[in-house]
Amino acid sequence: MLISLLALLAIALYLAAAGLLARPLLGGGEPLSRSADGAAALAVVTHAAVLFGMHPGALDLHFFAALSLVAGVVAALTLIVNLTRPVAALGVIVFPLAAVLLAIDMFASPRTTPLAMDWQIKLHVTVALLAFGVLSIAAALAILLALQERALRHRQFGAWLRALPPLTLTEALLFRLIGAGFVLLTLTLLSGILFVDDLFGQHLVHKTALSIVAWFVFGALLLGRWRYGWRGRRAVNLTLIGMTILLLAFFGSKFVLEVVLHRTA
């Protein structure tokens, strides 16, 4: 009962934070960033308490539980980004999504039991979650960048556009996030080589192969930015391609096995 109440509280706080940040879209004025950050911080802490309360000391990586865990990580990272480089629209996208994924995990998905892991695998998974979280925020920012460029090109100066930072700052933040995510993804692959038995075994080969492909995509984007000054649509497209591949690596087989075939063991 207590866990359910905490989940409802976290969902309400996520939605409240998104609403405060979406103020320019709803009724004009500036986003209430400080209040939104406070609500989002409480939501992230409460979300973490829900996850810990459901599985004390364990990481449940089944499909819906993993989505909820990733959502909490992405929400926390979004909050950190907004504290350093405020981008209100990121929270408008991320916080409602976190609320939805938490609600599905808590109230609509079947109960699952975490698999036992030693500390090396937990470390590998933690780094992988951070990599996925940072690159997820980069993908959301790439979508905002594409919308921003399109609006400027068609001279559509709406309230939502004024809520975004200048285009050059959005693009600079995008590549900082991609750089950080690329480093974390590199550490994920290295820790997998060190700690995961049979990394190219039948049950892991697709995850490993797709993660390596994503690593090459993000690496090529960073190299192209440094060597040739890639930006704009090319940067957006490569970011979204890399993130789609990484999404398939993390959740593709889980979706098929657990949602389509109903195998949760």
Side-chain angles (χ1 to χ4, degrees):
M1 183 65 178
L2 177 60
I3 299 299
S4 297
L5 291 175
L6 287 175
L8 290 172
L9 176 60
I11 291 165
L13 288 167
Y14 276 133
L15 296 178
L20 291 168
L21 291 173
R23 190 183 178 205
L25 300 177
L26 300 175
E30 295 297 319
L32 300 175
S33 299
R34 183 169 295 182
S35 298
D37 289 342
L42 288 174
V44 168
V45 171
T46 308
H47 191 162
V50 170
L51 294 173
F52 183 82
M54 292 173 69
H55 301 296
L59 286 174
D60 189 348
L61 299 181
H62 290 90
F63 183 76
F64 292 108
L67 282 176
S68 178
L69 177 59
V70 167
V73 171
V74 173
L77 292 171
T78 299
L79 180 61
I80 293 171
V81 169
N82 274 332
L83 290 174
T84 56
R85 293 284 189 278
V87 184
L90 271 180
V92 174
I93 295 172
V94 170
F95 297 147
L97 184 59
V100 169
L101 293 176
L102 173 58
I104 292 172
D105 179 41
M106 188 68 211
F107 302 110
S109 66
R111 295 299 92 193
T112 54
T113 302
L115 300 175
M117 306 179 194
D118 56 27
W119 71 267
Q120 295 97 330
I121 300 301
K122 286 184 178 180
L123 177 61
H124 168 71
V125 169
T126 300
V127 176
L129 287 172
L130 290 173
F132 189 89
V134 171
L135 291 170
S136 296
I137 298 172
L141 202 60
I143 294 171
L144 292 176
L145 181 63
L147 294 174
Q148 195 174 10
E149 285 188 331
R150 186 178 184 278
L152 290 172
R153 207 165 43 243
H154 292 85
R155 304 182 67 81
Q156 298 171 343
F157 304 109
W160 70 271
L161 185 64
R162 292 193 294 271
L164 293 174
L167 192 66
T168 53
L169 292 182
T170 304
E171 191 173 76
L173 178 58
L174 171 66
F175 278 98
R176 287 193 189 100
L177 289 170
I178 293 172
F182 181 76
V183 171
L184 288 167
L185 186 56
T186 303
L187 293 175
T188 299
L189 293 172
L190 289 175
S191 63
I193 292 170
L194 291 173
F195 300 141
V196 178
D197 294 330
D198 199 12
L199 193 62
F200 287 92
Q202 185 177 0
H203 65 300
L204 290 175
V205 65
H206 73 283
K207 296 179 184 292
T208 304
L210 289 173
S211 296
I212 291 172
V213 172
W215 183 85
F216 274 109
V217 170
F218 287 116
L221 175 55
L222 291 172
L223 179 63
R225 171 72 168 183
W226 171 72
R227 185 69 179 81
Y228 304 109
W230 287 358
R231 54 182 302 179
R233 185 172 298 178
R234 177 176 288 171
V236 168
N237 289 342
L238 285 173
T239 301
L240 296 180
I241 289 170
M243 192 61 220
T244 300
I245 295 170
L246 204 58
L247 186 64
L248 290 173
F250 275 62
F251 292 105
S253 65
K254 288 182 182 295
F255 177 81
V256 173
L257 290 173
E258 298 183 25
V259 179
V260 178
L261 300 178
H262 303 291
R263 297 178 185 172
T264 58

